[in-house]
Amino acid sequence: MPVVAVAATAPAFAASPCANRTALLPVAWSSSYSTTRQTGSVAGAPVVNVRAGYSSILRGPGSLNSQNLTPGSVAATQDSISLVNNSPTTRSLSPERNFQTVTFAFTQDVYGLTFSIDDIDRVFGSYFDHVFLAGAPQAPAVTQGSAVTGTGTSDNPWRTTGASGDNAANQTVTVTYPNGLVPITSLTLRFYSTVGPLTSAQHVVRIRQMRLRTCV
């Protein structure tokens, strides 16, 4: 009987390789970065490589700002990075085609990935932040601030129903991916403004409090 009992319970254990067996660990961002490259570490070991680029179709194109991927500190930890665009200098009928793409590539399988996207706001006549996610194998659970609308997809990106607000809670989105059988190996974010000012404007969103499980 004991042999039969062990055999019966083994498949259930194997089907949940990461279910809460490691802590949800915070990602700290590197002080060595460029406008296109950043690295996040967990307990001192690199776990995510960030790559950024800007695409534009205009004669007066937008670009990555020199502060792109800058790490920020809250409570003495570098728990955020800023995504910073220079808006196009000419107006466009297709503003969604002038954007920053950010790819998060994980050096090992991760589970239960969660983070916030802060500062999804607008300044009338200057910029109007739009953000969406792609590339993960599963859809995340999403908590949206009361001033955020959209579903975080290319057809319906997250954007504010209000005006300017620096990291206001009501202009923040928090995403959490399932801590199940399917790991996350990469994730892509796209960030753009639908207002093209006559002179270039700077617009920012922040990736904050990224945490994950590695199961090692």
Side-chain angles (χ1 to χ4, degrees):
M1 290 299 295
V3 173
V4 174
V6 171
T9 57
F13 180 81
S16 302
C18 194
N20 298 312
R21 292 199 291 124
T22 59
L24 195 61
L25 302 172
V27 174
W29 300 104
S30 175
S31 57
S32 299
Y33 67 95
S34 69
T35 59
T36 60
R37 293 177 178 268
Q38 173 62 273
T39 302
S41 298
V42 168
V47 72
V48 54
N49 294 314
V50 182
R51 301 293 181 262
Y54 194 94
S55 299
S56 187
I57 63 170
L58 299 177
R59 289 179 296 175
S63 61
L64 299 179
N65 187 271
S66 60
Q67 298 301 305
N68 198 53
L69 302 185
T70 301
S73 296
V74 177
T77 63
Q78 292 189 162
D79 77 336
S80 70
I81 52 174
S82 296
L83 310 181
V84 193
N85 291 346
N86 297 317
S87 293
T89 56
T90 58
R91 297 185 185 277
S92 171
L93 296 177
S94 302
E96 71 280 358
R97 297 177 66 185
N98 303 280
F99 54 85
Q100 177 174 179
T101 297
V102 186
T103 300
F104 301 84
F106 297 93
T107 60
Q108 60 193 90
D109 292 349
V110 302
Y111 302 81
L113 176 69
T114 183
F115 58 91
S116 295
I117 307 170
D118 290 358
D119 209 16
I120 303 174
D121 64 353
R122 72 183 298 178
V123 171
F124 292 92
S126 183
Y127 64 83
F128 188 5
D129 295 337
H130 284 57
V131 183
F132 68 87
L133 296 172
Q138 300 181 62
V142 177
T143 302
Q144 296 182 198
S146 59
V148 176
T149 190
T151 58
T153 63
S154 58
D155 293 334
N156 192 13
W158 289 307
R159 56 205 184 274
T160 187
T161 58
S164 178
D166 189 13
N167 295 333
N170 67 347
Q171 293 177 319
T172 293
V173 170
T174 299
V175 299
T176 303
Y177 288 90
N179 185 44
L181 296 177
V182 181
I184 291 184
T185 57
S186 66
L187 181 68
T188 299
L189 177 149
R190 185 170 289 183
F191 168 42
Y192 61 92
S193 170
T194 61
V195 178
L198 296 177
T199 57
S200 185
Q202 174 180 311
H203 52 116
V204 183
V205 297
R206 295 177 179 86
I207 306 300
R208 187 171 60 85
Q209 293 184 338
M210 181 175 283
R211 294 173 292 160
L212 50 83
R213 289 187 173 92
T214 60
C215 282
V216 294

